[in-house]
Amino acid sequence: MSFHLGEDGQLSAQRGGGGMVSGLLTVASQAELLWVCAALSEADRKAARAAPGGLLELDGRSSIRMLDIPPDTFDRAYNGVANSTLWFIHHMLYDLPGQPRFGAGFIVDWESFRAYNRAFAVALAGACDGQPRPPRAVVQDYHLSLVPRMLAELRPGVKIAHFSHTPWAPPEYYSVLPDAVAREVLEGILGADHAGFLCQRWADAFADCCAAVLGAEVDRGRGQIRYRGHVTGIGVHALGVDAPGLRDRAAKPDVTAQAAELAQRAGGRKLIVRVDRTELSKNILRGLAAYRELLVARPQWQGRVMHLAFAYPSRTDLPVYREYAAAVQELAAQIEAEFATDDWTPLVVQADDDYARSLAGYRVADVLLVNPVRDGMNLVAKEGPIVSDRGCALVLSREAGAAAELGEAALLVNPFDVTATAAALHEALSMSDAERARRSARLAAAGAAVPPARWFADQLAALG
Amino acid sequence: MSFHLGEDGQLSAQRGGGGMVSGLLTVASQAELLWVCAALSEADRKAARAAPGGLLELDGRSSIRMLDIPPDTFDRAYNGVANSTLWFIHHMLYDLPGQPRFGAGFIVDWESFRAYNRAFAVALAGACDGQPRPPRAVVQDYHLSLVPRMLAELRPGVKIAHFSHTPWAPPEYYSVLPDAVAREVLEGILGADHAGFLCQRWADAFADCCAAVLGAEVDRGRGQIRYRGHVTGIGVHALGVDAPGLRDRAAKPDVTAQAAELAQRAGGRKLIVRVDRTELSKNILRGLAAYRELLVARPQWQGRVMHLAFAYPSRTDLPVYREYAAAVQELAAQIEAEFATDDWTPLVVQADDDYARSLAGYRVADVLLVNPVRDGMNLVAKEGPIVSDRGCALVLSREAGAAAELGEAALLVNPFDVTATAAALHEALSMSDAERARRSARLAAAGAAVPPARWFADQLAALG
């Protein structure tokens, strides 16, 4: 949820992107919730200050408390620590010989991260006062990993869940963090009564880190971690798609028109589609390299296939992301130069974000390529088959959390192996219509198994 | 061992660098050994071809068989696979968003790696024929990980040991390798009766990979791995230093002269010394950054300390190594520009390899800095205290295998944490002479605990 200031000085609300926000909004309309979040813009701050009692209306009986965190603190906490450090650790994105270098500047960032987390803990503590029953707090994601312990110390009676939307790093990689930071993040989450993850693999890695770094006692059979006398239950909640809502949206005229346009562009050729932010973890470069190797190793596909790569801007404030985006464009241009003919465009890379066109891409794809080097879940892999018009084959990285649920019906690949990815694309393109439709139906069912409302309710239920 | 062609056409032999070669040479003079190795140069090939019966004389009753492997095969196997792939995997050196990309070229490299390993297996098999007792073969390092299985298939009666001089990657990182390659490397080593590692941590990681990738049965209590009916014993053999030999060498006049020169250069200031190849894993950049942070955070050391960084050339054929070496020079120049005064040179980086000067550096160091991001053992950490004139403090990365033996007497650091490394340098510089001498003596004793001859004999003994 974000706000915009119109020219008339009026605030208007807008929903954010991404699977988590979409999930939470679905839930907010069905329960009595207070949603605590940080103001991201000047308009957000204005809305926060103008709200009566500090509360903005959401849907139904729910409301929002938007925290007015000082911009510098927010920037250091959100960008410096969360997105440039913890994100890189959990996705194993560092070029370790040179990065990260934890120096004096990081200590300032870390203090900001603490302050940012404390602001949330204090707001939640305040909201808990005067509640008739023991209140339940559900803390979302790695930006807020210190909140559970802080809140538990402020209000010992509150029931607290934490949920991690990222992968979790194995101990040998997690230990790259400064020792005190590595401990504090784990101790922060272990302040919760329940710690949730998107798949068993990340839950296991978290437990491994708790054992290796903290010496915590892990009971894998019961799914519990005991640390300093407190027990945290570990749960897997595999966030899925609100299938009816997504299908409704994908059936709207704007999407249908774009789907027709994409189909016309393909001109009867098979379509390989990917939809990603241009995020280092999404592995767009190796995806393009695999498409190139497909065309070289299986020349029968030349002229008979088209690759639509939707690669939307992401974190363009960081040089390493800008360089990555430039490398994507460069490799795309090479492929174009190598293979394009007068009547065949082998590859189209679209960098301008267009949600309706993304849904249109899902609808017309013969093959959906989802090959992240590492991904907490990946909702694209679940959304595509749900709205596919004729069923699509899914080439899926085994390093995505979604592989745990979709693996059987997808074609799983090692995302670092370009040759294997090219072979999987060939297999996907070669699949009979019947086989593809059968697999796609199973993918769609698995992707819709845990819709956001149930996913959230499960976290609440885990608190008793 | 390598050969050089003199101007007169005569071949002369020269010993190689590195702890392993030094260790093997010590052993060769004491037992009846056949040493099989690859020719590395045209002179080596000439020597191999000229040798009577293909055997070159070594010391005592031992001889060398130098394999004449085609240069292109050697290059793909040794550089393409071993040093640019397996080395990067085990040391976790990849910038994973972009590297590695296993494409069609790698498959050719891998075939060469197989051929290279097969040449060793065939040579060993030939050498085993006609031996009175069951022969024992001790295969050294990751370049030859396929040899044990190949040899076992060629000569089922031979007792085989394999030893890994590198770290071993955790399963989540090891699995970056193409699936078939990941399996073949593990299966290759499991062809041995005994698999040796430099410390327990790498042995455990190997066992974890065998369980995760192959589904092999790991018995940690007995230190055994069972796979397809064959049992491989797992052992830790912590290669140490031949202390008498090293002390003799370090007492020679050339070293003594260089030590005097270094001491004069320091002019009574404390000396922090490092001795490394400019290898991505050695972490020279963060070492320099930590020295800089020491001077900023503890300005009392300005003018009172000098850092001698011996950073010798390594793998200059690879762009990423050249860039790394350039970054070292650049950071060094920045530190020089920031701190140097008319009568104080804060930092000297020496890139020209000089063994006598390295030993002199050991002798005069007050603090030895050994901070690799990951290292199988690291013999510098063991050699330094053994030849130190007045005892030295050791700041040691916990990611070096040597930390398992030296950790108690060293100051262990997280090598990614520049601030923590700076703090350890301060602590090391501040140590009393008595404390430093006491710790240095313990380090020297630990570093000499398993000299090369015993290290090698232990591997043989493990074969019964």
Side-chain angles (χ1 to χ4, degrees):
Chain A
M1 176 71 50
S2 64
F3 290 87
H4 288 265
L5 269 177
E7 290 185 6
D8 55 357
Q10 283 289 93
L11 286 166
S12 59
Q14 224 179 33
R15 57 162 281 177
M20 181 171 101
V21 171
S22 144
L24 289 176
L25 278 172
T26 310
V27 172
S29 62
Q30 299 166 8
E32 186 178 349
L33 282 183
L34 171 68
W35 185 355
V36 179
C37 61
L40 296 177
S41 66
E42 208 34 60
D44 281 2
R45 290 173 201 284
K46 206 156 180 166
R49 286 179 211 131
L55 292 180
L56 294 152
E57 213 173 295
L58 190 56
D59 296 324
R61 297 160 293 167
S62 297
S63 54
I64 300 180
R65 175 169 213 124
M66 209 171 243
L67 303 179
D68 186 1
I69 292 168
D72 182 61
T73 303
F74 179 85
D75 181 58
R76 288 176 179 278
Y78 190 82
N79 295 317
V81 175
N83 287 347
S84 294
T85 306
L86 299 180
W87 178 269
F88 274 60
I89 289 286
H90 287 313
H91 290 84
M92 297 170 57
L93 298 177
Y94 278 122
D95 187 11
L96 289 178
Q99 295 298 329
R101 283 184 216 173
F102 296 110
F106 185 75
I107 292 171
V108 183
D109 288 354
W110 184 247
E111 283 298 337
S112 294
F113 188 74
R114 281 187 180 138
Y116 172 86
N117 275 258
R118 183 159 297 281
F120 277 82
V122 167
L124 287 167
C128 290
D129 292 339
Q131 299 286 330
R133 294 181 306 167
R136 294 177 291 178
V138 179
V139 179
Q140 294 296 318
D141 225 358
Y142 65 109
H143 311 90
L144 301 177
S145 47
L146 307 185
V147 169
R149 177 157 306 275
M150 289 172 170
L151 178 56
E153 282 169 5
L154 289 168
R155 295 291 182 281
V158 178
K159 287 287 180 189
I160 307 169
H162 182 274
F163 193 85
S164 295
H165 290 260
T166 59
W168 200 274
E172 298 244 338
Y173 206 98
Y174 184 77
S175 301
V176 165
L177 288 171
D179 297 9
V181 169
R183 295 184 68 91
E184 203 168 332
V185 167
L186 297 173
E187 288 175 342
I189 293 175
L190 290 183
D193 302 287
H194 183 77
F197 297 89
L198 286 165
C199 66
Q200 191 61 47
R201 181 177 171 190
W202 313 141
D204 288 344
F206 174 75
D208 290 345
C209 286
C210 289
V213 174
L214 299 179
E217 191 186 317
V218 175
D219 183 337
R220 287 180 202 275
R222 302 167 81 173
Q224 291 182 338
I225 300 180
R226 178 183 293 272
Y227 180 64
R228 294 192 177 162
H230 176 73
V231 173
T232 302
I234 304 297
V236 172
H237 308 284
L239 177 60
V241 176
D242 166 25
L246 187 69
R247 286 202 183 99
D248 279 358
R249 180 66 190 88
K252 294 227 188 299
D254 59 340
V255 178
T256 302
Q258 295 246 31
E261 201 178 307
L262 292 177
Q264 194 192 4
R265 204 158 172 181
R269 296 179 181 87
K270 296 263 189 186
L271 272 174
I272 301 172
V273 174
R274 75 175 304 140
V275 181
D276 285 299
R277 288 178 296 116
T278 307
E279 154 58 48
L280 299 182
S281 61
K282 297 298 183 184
N283 209 20
I284 300 172
L285 281 176
R286 288 192 191 85
L288 293 180
Y291 181 61
R292 185 188 170 279
E293 189 158 322
L294 171 78
L295 297 179
V296 171
R298 316 274 185 169
Q300 65 266 36
W301 290 114
Q302 291 186 25
R304 293 180 51 220
V305 68
M306 184 183 227
H307 183 15
L308 290 178
F310 299 145
Y312 301 141
S314 181
R315 311 201 57 201
T316 48
D317 52 319
L318 288 190
V320 64
Y321 280 75
R322 289 200 301 273
E323 286 160 20
Y324 190 83
V328 166
Q329 292 297 335
E330 194 184 330
L331 182 51
Q334 281 172 22
I335 293 172
E336 186 69 12
E338 188 174 355
F339 296 101
T341 63
D342 286 346
D343 49 9
W344 176 46
T345 303
L347 172 66
V348 176
V349 176
Q350 300 270 16
D352 58 314
D353 197 342
D354 182 335
Y355 184 59
R357 194 188 52 205
S358 298
L359 293 177
Y362 289 160
R363 281 184 53 183
V364 300
D366 296 286
V367 177
L368 189 63
L369 174 59
V370 179
N371 67 324
V373 292
R374 204 169 163 88
D375 208 331
M377 171 55 74
N378 197 296
L379 284 174
V380 168
K382 293 184 167 181
E383 289 169 349
I386 285 173
V387 300
S388 173
D389 284 347
R390 293 167 300 112
C392 72
L394 175 64
V395 173
L396 177 62
S397 166
R398 67 179 178 204
E399 305 298 326
E405 298 155 89
L406 308 182
E408 193 217 353
L411 301 173
L412 288 188
V413 293
N414 170 350
F416 303 100
D417 191 338
V418 168
T419 301
T421 306
L425 288 175
H426 171 70
E427 189 182 345
L429 290 167
S430 309
M431 210 177 264
S432 72
D433 290 352
E435 168 79 358
R436 204 181 60 223
R438 195 177 60 78
R439 284 181 180 246
S440 188
R442 279 157 56 201
L443 292 167
V450 186
R454 199 191 122 196
W455 166 81
F456 190 79
D458 285 353
Q459 291 173 64
L460 275 178
L463 293 177
Chain B
M1 178 69 50
S2 63
F3 289 87
H4 289 264
L5 268 177
E7 290 185 8
D8 55 357
Q10 283 289 93
L11 285 166
S12 60
Q14 223 178 36
R15 56 162 281 177
M20 181 171 102
V21 171
S22 143
L24 289 177
L25 279 171
T26 310
V27 173
S29 62
Q30 298 166 9
E32 184 178 351
L33 281 183
L34 171 68
W35 185 354
V36 179
C37 61
L40 295 178
S41 66
E42 208 35 57
D44 282 1
R45 288 172 204 285
K46 209 158 177 163
R49 286 181 212 131
L55 292 180
L56 295 151
E57 212 173 295
L58 190 57
D59 296 323
R61 298 160 293 166
S62 297
S63 53
I64 300 180
R65 173 169 215 128
M66 208 171 243
L67 303 180
D68 185 1
I69 291 168
D72 182 62
T73 302
F74 179 84
D75 181 59
R76 289 176 178 277
Y78 190 82
N79 294 317
V81 175
N83 287 348
S84 294
T85 305
L86 299 180
W87 179 270
F88 274 60
I89 289 286
H90 287 313
H91 290 83
M92 296 170 57
L93 298 178
Y94 278 121
D95 186 10
L96 289 180
Q99 295 298 328
R101 284 184 215 172
F102 296 110
F106 185 74
I107 293 172
V108 183
D109 289 355
W110 184 248
E111 283 298 336
S112 295
F113 188 73
R114 281 188 181 139
Y116 173 86
N117 275 259
R118 183 159 296 280
F120 278 82
V122 167
L124 287 167
C128 289
D129 293 338
Q131 298 288 328
R133 294 181 307 166
R136 293 177 291 179
V138 179
V139 180
Q140 294 296 317
D141 224 358
Y142 65 109
H143 311 89
L144 301 177
S145 46
L146 307 185
V147 168
R149 177 156 306 273
M150 289 172 169
L151 177 57
E153 283 169 6
L154 289 168
R155 295 291 182 279
V158 178
K159 289 286 180 190
I160 307 168
H162 182 273
F163 192 85
S164 296
H165 290 259
T166 60
W168 199 273
E172 299 243 337
Y173 206 97
Y174 184 76
S175 301
V176 165
L177 288 171
D179 297 9
V181 169
R183 296 184 68 91
E184 203 168 331
V185 167
L186 297 173
E187 288 175 341
I189 293 175
L190 290 183
D193 302 288
H194 183 76
F197 297 89
L198 286 165
C199 67
Q200 191 61 47
R201 181 176 170 191
W202 313 141
D204 288 344
F206 174 75
D208 290 344
C209 287
C210 289
V213 174
L214 300 179
E217 193 186 317
V218 175
D219 183 336
R220 287 181 202 275
R222 302 167 82 173
Q224 290 183 339
I225 300 179
R226 178 183 292 273
Y227 180 63
R228 295 192 177 161
H230 177 73
V231 173
T232 303
I234 304 297
V236 172
H237 308 284
L239 178 61
V241 175
D242 165 25
L246 187 69
R247 284 202 183 99
D248 279 358
R249 179 67 190 88
K252 294 226 186 299
D254 58 341
V255 177
T256 301
Q258 296 246 30
E261 200 178 307
L262 292 177
Q264 194 191 4
R265 201 159 175 180
R269 296 180 180 88
K270 296 264 190 184
L271 272 174
I272 301 172
V273 174
R274 75 175 303 140
V275 181
D276 286 299
R277 286 177 297 119
T278 307
E279 154 58 48
L280 298 182
S281 61
K282 297 297 184 185
N283 209 20
I284 299 171
L285 281 175
R286 289 193 192 84
L288 293 180
Y291 180 62
R292 184 188 171 279
E293 190 158 320
L294 170 79
L295 297 179
V296 171
R298 317 275 184 168
Q300 66 267 35
W301 290 113
Q302 291 186 25
R304 293 181 51 222
V305 66
M306 185 184 226
H307 183 16
L308 290 178
F310 299 146
Y312 301 142
S314 181
R315 309 201 59 200
T316 47
D317 52 320
L318 287 189
V320 64
Y321 280 75
R322 289 201 300 274
E323 287 160 20
Y324 189 84
V328 166
Q329 292 297 337
E330 193 184 331
L331 182 51
Q334 281 172 22
I335 293 171
E336 186 70 12
E338 188 174 355
F339 297 100
T341 62
D342 286 347
D343 50 10
W344 176 46
T345 303
L347 172 66
V348 176
V349 176
Q350 301 270 16
D352 58 313
D353 196 343
D354 181 335
Y355 184 59
R357 194 188 53 205
S358 298
L359 292 177
Y362 290 161
R363 282 184 52 183
V364 299
D366 296 284
V367 178
L368 187 63
L369 173 59
V370 179
N371 67 325
V373 293
R374 202 169 166 88
D375 210 330
M377 171 55 75
N378 197 297
L379 284 174
V380 168
K382 293 184 167 181
E383 290 170 349
I386 286 173
V387 301
S388 173
D389 284 347
R390 294 167 299 111
C392 72
L394 174 64
V395 173
L396 177 62
S397 167
R398 66 178 179 203
E399 305 298 327
E405 298 154 89
L406 308 182
E408 193 218 353
L411 301 173
L412 287 189
V413 293
N414 170 351
F416 304 98
D417 192 337
V418 167
T419 301
T421 306
L425 288 174
H426 171 71
E427 189 182 343
L429 290 167
S430 308
M431 211 176 264
S432 72
D433 290 352
E435 167 80 357
R436 202 182 59 223
R438 195 176 59 79
R439 285 182 180 245
S440 188
R442 278 158 55 203
L443 292 167
V450 186
R454 198 190 123 196
W455 165 81
F456 190 79
D458 285 351
Q459 292 173 63
L460 275 179
L463 292 177

